[in-house]
Amino acid sequence: MFGKLAWSAIPFGQPIPLITSLVVILVVLGVLGLVTVKGWWTYLWREWVTSVDHKRIGIMYVLLGVVMLIRGFADAIMMRTQQAIAIGGAPGYLEPEHYNQIFSAHGTIMIFFAAMPLVIGFMNFLVPLQLGVRDVAFPTLNSVSFWLTASGALLVNVSLFVGEFARTGWLPYPPLSEVGYSPGVGVDYYLWAVQISGVGTLMTGINFVTTVLKLRCPGMSYLRMPMFTWTAFAASLLIVAVFPILTATLAMLTLDRYVGWHFFTNDAGGNPMMFMNLIWAWGHPEVYILVLPAFGIFSEIFSTFSGKPLFGYRSMVAATLFICIVAMMTWLHHFFTMGAGAAVNTAFGISTSVIAVGTGVKIYNWIFTMYGGRVRLSVPMLWSLGFIFTFIIGGMTGVMLAVPPADFLVHNSMFLVAHFHNVIIGGVVFALFAGLEFWFPKAFGFRLHEGWGRCAFWCAFVGFWVTFAPLYIVGLMGMTRRLQHVVVPDWAPWLYASVVGVAILALGAVAQVIQLVVSIRDREKLRDTTGDPWDGRSLEWATPSPPPFFNFAVMPNVEGEEAYWGIKLRAVETQQLSPEPNYQPIEMPVNSPVGFYTAFFATVFGFAMIWYIWWLAIVALIAAFAGFVVFAWRDVHEFEVPADEVARVDRARRAAREATLAQMAEEGGLP
Amino acid sequence: MAGLQAARRAWTRACRCPAVGIAGVGMAGIGLASCSGGVLDPLGPVGRDDATLLIDATVVMLAIVVPTIMLAFWIAWRYRASNPKAEYLPYWSYSGRIEAVVWSIPVLTIMFIGGLIWIGSYRLDPFKPLPSKAPPLEVQVVSLDWKWLFIYPQQGVATVNRLVVPAGTPVHFSITSASVFNAFFVPRLGSMVYAMPGMVSQVSLEADRPGTTYGQSAHFSGDGFSDMHFQVQSVPASEFAAWVRSAKGGGPVLDRKAYAELARQSQNVKPYSYSAVDAELFGAVAMQQIPPAPGPEPGNPSHAGREVGTGGHD
Ligand code: HEM
Ligand SMILES: [Cu+2]
């Protein structure tokens, strides 16, 4: 009836997961209770859960990403402290069975459920606004994507409380992940969580490729698209190209585990090497799926805060597409040590370092964007400068790893761990915090507190280096990754230093939370009435903050690069806004519960598969599919926003802009 | 290359003298690491060549990276909004000349690195034998859950978790795994190579002077992974012969039955040796004539842990 599920699946004898689970359950119940007491259910259901508004979905993605970032950080604290305690014979406080789950969950959560949702959240919020359109190509599909991602995140977290998570690393290499060596449910949790969210990600990719190809406002030619939109487009192309590989690879491993096939087993003709090739054919492009939109965020910030257009815009577009293509030709650098031979290693070593050309070009273009500018060193700009420093070094260590004989010394070492945190934290995470600071007023109508933002930045920057510089050093001293305890006493000082770094990073996280609380408290003081708090250059700043659900009352008409900057210049020159348009009613997509509904049954399906509860899996699969069928047959897709309503919202916006214009005229105007 | 040599010499010197070593962050890192028994403190030629290449590539890149970082900070500071002396060029966003430079700096750097990659990959291919007058010592390596088995086919002995090699003689390792992936790695000897079931990979390494160090697995292999480290002793040739004699003198025999017991999961195994070995054993393991190691077994206490059901094919 319940497959493998039994009371022994609950970790009663293990204080750490048990207490954590209880706390998590209490917090969740507390939140649900609060929502019930305050009577917010209807609001949440109508305005958020069933919303197909790309901005709302974007915000939910970011929220999910931030929550998972905190969860992953908790894992990181445990790993770093364990390694600092378990030296020279001391066992530490986490036995291997538990420690191995922690680093596997950490990597899985950080990549799939923190970084990806954060990046996709920004894409959701920004791309339609920057393109001057009212939504993505398939708004309901977008909601399905989000909820499937959330479903995967939920499954990973359920594994904490019911059963166990994988102990095989964030990429479950066979034969270790085959059923003979990992008989528990851990790898199955991994497989179904990643498969379900992967479907969501693939649909996001399709959605955004279509949006960029098909839905641009009049005049928005490809070479007028803002840089962030370009990078989001490139990332979406990569998603469409490589996520099917991930799905197929994990499906093969699933077949091995569930029905005894032999794709990757070490006997009966299976070939575990093939798994490594396939998973990295997805895995390396994946890191660029994360980092390209991060580059886009920095491009927007450098140009806005320097008060200048992006230097070498076309060259930036070229570099982006160059990276996008070369990223798919480098996967073998993750296993130079598998003995492929000199010719193969040479080819992949060179193709890997060639990526650094695209990245190098971008860095110089950002630097020259600041040249001749009026650089405002506000919080987003601090993150960006911190990024330049950190990312250059991460790229350099990446190229060191791309030299095969050098990689023979530091592959799978702490040096490698330091490298990828260097690029992922210094590149992706810094970008997300910079972007949060930058677009927060657009999303919520008020800015974040500047002082606490600076404090958070400095803690993160210093904390990052204090954590990871020692790891580079112990890596060169021979320390490999994923050790539950260490025996070489020389490594100890560096492992202690790294814990200090983690403590500083934790202070940064606290500062970030305080910043949010303080900003909410002082929101009236920090209010952005203009919709354009940073003197922006792309179309999202043409809308009020927060933008109305239909984004634009009339479609903007773009006449050059930097669409909104052009509109502003014209307004300043003529000392007036463009004449009031003739408002028309707008058709907007209706809300739909199908995303939530499908994801609910996908979660049940995943859980049932993990525990071998076949009847439940079949029921859930049919239910999820039925949801799609009902959705496909619905009659009402859109509703009409009356022209009066559109006019009312837009007149308020115009009034605010006119006030700004008048004030600007007093102060001497734009350059 | 002369400049490079000089840079490298300066580097080595810097690393010997702590005060200079701390001069630059990157330099300090590499410097400190190289003073203390890691991959930058090699015991033999392969490790030395690998490390040289690592340092060469770093020096080449630092030559670009340091000025670039300084340029970035200088421009950000020079053109800060509060600096009235800096000229504001609000429309300046293209310069063909700068674009050309911007593309060519990374291209040239990477061409240089590409050369290092090309030459290095061929010269330091792990499968290539080392040039030497003395014939190499053969060692067969089997990674097991969770210990290392070293078989000396020429001597007819074997060890677990201890590797003894004669200094000054190249050692040719043939490596396989009886269960899951591992990586055979002695940091101070150089190049690591994966141990993979059903396959034999190779690496030639040499210690050119006596010394004691450690090796380990560099690829995660399960719960006992952290204890997959082993002693490495490089000893003078005469001492090596004496060691072989003493190993032959006593200890268990590694036949199929003993191997089957050894292949079961166990953690933190203390080093010991076998006085005789089944000569066909390594081949039989590599070709999987002996089936892969059993993995977790319900009755085997070395596999403690929270295991929920045993799943499998039902
Ligand atoms: C300048 C460009 C880069 C180069 C040349 C480079 C090179 C490499 C190489 C050669 C490896 C494999 C090393 C080994 O396993 O021994 C590696 C690992 C890795 N890199 Fe990079 N990298 C670059 C940028 C990035 C970026 C931008 C990201 C992410 C945003 C990233 C994330 C990773 C990750 C996650 C791994 C290791 C994953 C694992 O083994 O678990 N890298 N990189
Ligand atoms: Cu890669």
Side-chain angles (χ1 to χ4, degrees):
Chain A
M1 182 68 180
F2 293 112
K4 296 202 277 177
L5 195 54
W7 283 110
S8 60
I10 315 265
F12 289 117
Q14 294 179 307
I16 296 176
L18 190 67
I19 292 171
T20 321
S21 319
L22 289 180
V23 171
V24 170
I25 291 173
L26 283 181
V27 170
V28 170
L29 286 181
V31 171
L32 295 184
L34 184 72
V35 170
T36 313
V37 170
K38 295 268 185 179
W40 287 340
W41 280 115
T42 347
Y43 167 77
L44 276 183
W45 179 259
R46 290 228 186 101
E47 298 292 321
W48 294 91
V49 176
T50 61
S51 174
V52 297
D53 178 344
H54 68 96
K55 302 181 289 298
R56 292 272 162 92
I57 292 176
I59 290 169
M60 289 192 290
Y61 262 118
V62 171
L63 194 64
L64 173 70
V66 168
V67 171
M68 288 296 117
L69 193 65
I70 295 169
R71 157 79 214 267
F73 186 55
D75 291 336
I77 294 174
M78 288 197 272
M79 291 187 290
R80 291 266 56 83
T81 45
Q82 164 72 16
Q83 279 193 337
I85 296 172
I87 297 177
Y93 65 104
L94 300 168
E95 26 357 324
E97 294 79 19
H98 194 183
Y99 183 80
N100 299 347
Q101 287 183 50
I102 294 177
F103 71 66
S104 307
H106 170 76
T108 309
I109 287 178
M110 285 305 202
I111 298 283
F112 293 100
F113 303 114
M116 284 298 274
L118 284 163
V119 164
I120 292 178
F122 276 86
M123 283 165 52
N124 261 289
F125 188 82
L126 289 169
V127 167
L129 285 172
Q130 291 199 329
L131 287 175
V133 295
R134 297 200 173 109
D135 213 323
V136 294
F138 311 113
T140 312
L141 191 66
N142 204 13
S143 156
V144 176
S145 294
F146 168 72
W147 285 107
L148 287 181
T149 308
S151 159
L154 184 63
L155 280 177
V156 171
N157 286 286
V158 166
S159 76
L160 187 70
F161 188 49
V162 187
E164 55 165 4
F165 193 63
R167 302 183 216 153
T168 46
W170 77 282
L171 295 176
Y173 286 148
L176 182 59
S177 58
E178 293 284 0
V179 80
Y181 294 102
S182 298
V185 290
V187 177
D188 302 324
Y189 263 112
Y190 173 92
L191 288 171
W192 293 107
V194 173
Q195 282 297 47
I196 291 172
S197 69
V199 172
T201 308
L202 179 59
M203 293 192 301
T204 299
I206 294 172
N207 213 338
F208 279 84
V209 169
T210 318
T211 305
V212 171
L213 292 180
K214 288 290 177 196
L215 296 187
R216 280 163 286 126
C217 70
M220 180 64 82
S221 61
Y222 291 122
L223 283 176
R224 287 176 180 174
M225 295 196 308
M227 205 54 216
F228 177 79
T229 295
W230 258 112
T231 55
F233 179 51
S236 307
L237 286 173
L238 279 174
I239 287 177
V240 175
V242 302
F243 263 76
I245 309 181
L246 176 69
T247 306
T249 312
L250 296 184
M252 285 186 259
L253 184 57
T254 309
L255 287 169
D256 278 6
R257 286 182 61 87
Y258 277 73
V259 292
W261 287 16
H262 293 278
F263 285 109
F264 308 126
T265 54
N266 56 5
D267 55 356
N271 186 350
M273 269 181 166
M274 194 47 90
F275 182 91
M276 309 230 329
N277 275 283
L278 287 170
I279 204 81
W280 283 114
W282 160 81
H284 189 81
E286 164 67 14
V287 303
Y288 282 91
I289 292 170
L290 294 176
V291 89
L292 283 175
F295 289 168
I297 291 176
F298 289 122
S299 299
E300 303 290 340
I301 290 174
F302 275 113
S303 133
T304 304
F305 286 84
S306 302
K308 279 181 63 211
L310 188 63
F311 180 83
Y313 169 79
R314 281 164 192 247
S315 161
M316 287 298 239
V317 172
T320 304
L321 295 178
F322 175 83
I323 292 177
C324 187
I325 291 164
V326 182
M328 286 194 272
M329 308 198 289
T330 64
W331 75 92
L332 190 130
H333 62 222
H334 293 277
F335 41 89
F336 282 140
T337 51
M338 210 154 73
V344 173
N345 280 359
T346 305
F348 280 90
I350 292 178
S351 73
T352 302
S353 39
V354 159
I355 291 212
V357 172
T359 316
V361 167
K362 285 188 168 246
I363 287 180
Y364 286 112
N365 281 344
W366 290 320
I367 294 177
F368 285 104
T369 301
M370 292 187 289
Y371 183 88
R374 269 188 197 154
V375 181
R376 285 172 282 159
L377 296 170
S378 338
V379 181
M381 198 61 188
L382 287 183
W383 286 106
S384 307
L385 290 170
F387 152 79
I388 291 242
F389 176 79
T390 309
F391 197 83
I392 289 183
I393 297 189
M396 178 177 93
T397 57
V399 177
M400 287 159 76
L401 290 167
V403 179
D407 185 64
F408 296 162
L409 295 179
V410 281
H411 170 64
N412 271 351
S413 70
M414 293 310 265
F415 187 93
L416 168 72
V417 171
H419 154 70
F420 68 73
H421 285 87
N422 205 161
V423 278
I424 293 184
I425 297 183
V428 183
V429 178
F430 278 22
L432 297 167
F433 282 114
L436 217 54
E437 207 78 24
F438 187 47
W439 282 294
F440 189 90
K442 180 50 54 195
F444 297 103
F446 57 96
R447 293 180 202 228
L448 289 171
H449 188 276
E450 176 88 11
W452 282 107
R454 284 176 188 276
C455 175
F457 164 75
W458 283 111
C459 289
F461 182 74
V462 174
F464 169 81
W465 279 108
V466 178
T467 309
F468 289 98
L471 298 193
Y472 274 124
I473 294 171
V474 276
L476 290 173
M477 288 166 74
M479 179 170 170
T480 49
R481 70 197 288 200
R482 297 180 170 169
L483 290 173
Q484 181 264 348
H485 60 264
V486 303
V487 288
V488 180
D490 286 351
W491 298 341
W494 306 106
L495 295 173
Y496 299 149
S498 192
V499 175
V500 175
V502 172
I504 304 176
L505 280 173
L507 289 180
V510 171
Q512 206 81 54
V513 172
I514 296 181
Q515 181 199 37
L516 190 64
V517 173
V518 168
S519 312
I520 293 176
R521 191 194 64 197
D522 296 349
R523 60 189 176 281
E524 287 317 322
K525 249 193 331 214
L526 296 163
R527 182 73 61 197
D528 163 36
T529 50
T530 63
D532 183 17
W534 309 109
D535 199 7
R537 312 175 79 85
S538 44
L539 282 175
E540 73 269 30
W541 306 110
T543 63
S545 301
F549 63 96
F550 50 76
N551 292 355
F552 301 95
V554 287
M555 289 294 212
N557 196 359
V558 175
E559 290 171 8
E561 283 167 29
E562 308 207 292
Y564 182 50
W565 189 252
I567 295 174
K568 269 200 279 197
L569 275 190
R570 242 169 294 138
V572 171
E573 260 162 35
T574 57
Q575 280 303 304
Q576 60 186 10
L577 301 183
S578 54
E580 188 178 284
N582 179 15
Y583 293 111
Q584 303 287 331
I586 295 175
E587 299 272 300
M588 292 301 289
V590 293
N591 284 355
S592 163
V594 68
F596 185 79
Y597 173 88
T598 313
F600 177 82
F601 284 104
T603 313
V604 174
F605 170 72
F607 189 80
M609 289 304 287
I610 290 163
W611 291 99
Y612 288 40
I613 313 174
W614 309 123
W615 63 268
L616 184 59
I618 295 170
V619 170
L621 199 62
I622 294 174
F625 184 69
F628 262 85
V629 174
V630 171
F631 170 72
W633 257 269
R634 72 184 178 162
D635 299 321
V636 187
H637 301 268
E638 296 187 323
F639 69 102
E640 196 178 84
V641 189
D644 288 353
E645 171 68 7
V646 177
R648 186 184 63 76
V649 171
D650 201 48
R651 286 195 184 115
R653 180 190 71 91
R654 290 174 62 90
R657 297 286 148 133
E658 245 143 31
T660 321
L661 203 57
Q663 193 190 344
M664 231 191 262
E666 257 169 46
E667 287 169 3
L670 288 172
Chain B
M1 290 301 264
L4 219 60
Q5 298 282 339
R8 198 155 63 227
R9 266 197 306 278
W11 192 283
T12 322
R13 230 177 297 126
C15 131
R16 294 222 180 86
C17 156
V20 186
I22 299 164
V25 180
M27 295 230 190
I30 291 183
L32 288 164
S34 66
C35 296
S36 48
V39 298
L40 298 183
D41 184 13
L43 210 55
V46 177
R48 201 151 45 233
D49 289 354
D50 287 346
T52 305
L53 205 54
L54 184 108
I55 290 173
D56 286 353
T58 314
V59 171
V60 170
M61 281 185 290
L62 278 178
I64 303 302
V65 160
V66 172
T68 306
I69 290 175
M70 280 168 19
L71 180 74
F73 287 135
W74 180 73
I75 289 190
W77 181 245
R78 174 84 177 60
Y79 290 97
R80 67 192 185 277
S82 56
N83 179 7
K85 277 187 288 195
E87 189 188 1
Y88 184 35
L89 311 164
Y91 300 104
W92 185 79
S93 66
Y94 181 77
S95 149
R97 251 180 281 170
I98 291 182
E99 284 291 322
V101 174
V102 155
W103 279 87
S104 40
I105 292 178
V107 167
L108 290 175
T109 316
I110 292 308
M111 275 167 65
F112 210 88
I113 300 278
L116 291 181
I117 289 175
W118 194 316
I119 297 167
S121 296
Y122 277 91
R123 209 159 58 85
L124 289 164
D125 183 5
F127 282 51
K128 226 173 71 172
L130 290 178
S132 160
K133 277 188 233 94
L137 171 73
E138 290 292 334
V139 176
Q140 296 165 337
V141 183
V142 184
S143 77
L144 292 152
D145 287 351
W146 288 282
K147 59 256 160 188
W148 293 93
L149 171 65
F150 301 104
I151 302 174
Y152 294 75
Q154 295 153 331
Q155 286 73 19
V157 296
T159 55
V160 170
N161 283 350
R162 171 192 285 153
L163 177 65
V164 182
V165 296
T169 310
V171 187
H172 175 248
F173 295 92
S174 305
I175 305 163
T176 192
S177 168
S179 62
V180 303
F181 276 42
N182 274 289
F184 171 73
F185 182 37
V186 183
R188 292 184 66 196
L189 291 186
S191 300
M192 73 173 82
V193 174
Y194 276 154
M196 299 176 286
M199 289 169 260
V200 179
S201 40
Q202 306 170 40
V203 62
S204 289
L205 301 172
E206 181 182 333
D208 51 16
R209 59 199 138 96
T212 306
T213 180
Y214 63 92
Q216 59 196 339
S217 173
H219 190 84
F220 178 69
S221 56
D223 292 346
F225 164 74
S226 307
D227 280 314
M228 279 188 78
H229 44 76
F230 51 94
Q231 299 174 358
V232 180
Q233 280 162 288
S234 154
V235 296
S238 56
E239 224 174 280
F240 180 73
W243 173 77
V244 171
R245 269 196 307 280
S246 79
K248 274 180 152 11
V253 173
L254 185 58
D255 52 17
R256 298 286 165 115
K257 196 156 145 284
Y259 173 78
E261 192 49 40
L262 181 66
R264 300 181 66 197
Q265 294 191 332
S266 56
Q267 303 189 11
N268 199 8
V269 180
K270 298 280 165 287
Y272 65 92
S273 55
Y274 289 101
S275 57
V277 193
D278 174 350
E280 308 293 313
L281 185 66
F282 181 78
V285 172
M287 302 321 295
Q288 298 187 333
Q289 285 151 359
I290 300 175
E297 301 159 288
N300 183 349
S302 74
H303 183 73
R306 179 150 62 107
E307 203 62 75
V308 201
T310 39
H313 327 151
D314 56 355

